[in-house]
Amino acid sequence: MSDHHVYKKVELVGSSKKSIEDAIENALTTASESLELTEWFEVTETRGHIVDGKVGHYQVCLKVGFRISGS
């Protein structure tokens, strides 16, 4: 077992009509279909789209860290 790890970060934007948390889940679920060894995320921005004076969509920008295989 290695005593160190090396990570790469990617930026994602998740969206949802329901909530900020759902937008995060949507981004992570979709990313895990093509990224292996995802281990952490940080929210860098939150924003939304207004429709008729109400929230139409939530958008959350994330940085997702995944471990480089073999590290």
Side-chain angles (χ1 to χ4, degrees), residues 25-58:
E25 292 290 342
N26 289 342
L28 295 176
T29 298
T30 302
S32 70
E33 294 172 5
S34 60
L35 295 175
E36 295 182 14
L37 306 174
T38 55
E39 294 197 5
W40 56 267
F41 72 93
E42 64 180 285
V43 174
T44 58
E45 292 180 46
T46 55
R47 60 178 170 252
H49 178 236
I50 302 169
V51 177
D52 296 326
K54 297 182 181 183
V55 175
H57 289 86
Y58 297 92

Side-chain angles (χ1 to χ4, degrees), residues 8-25:
K8 179 160 181 74
K9 290 193 294 187
V10 295
E11 291 186 272
L12 306 173
V13 178
S15 64
S16 170
K17 290 184 176 185
K18 289 174 37 178
S19 68
I20 290 170
E21 291 83 3
D22 196 50
I24 293 169
E25 292 290 342

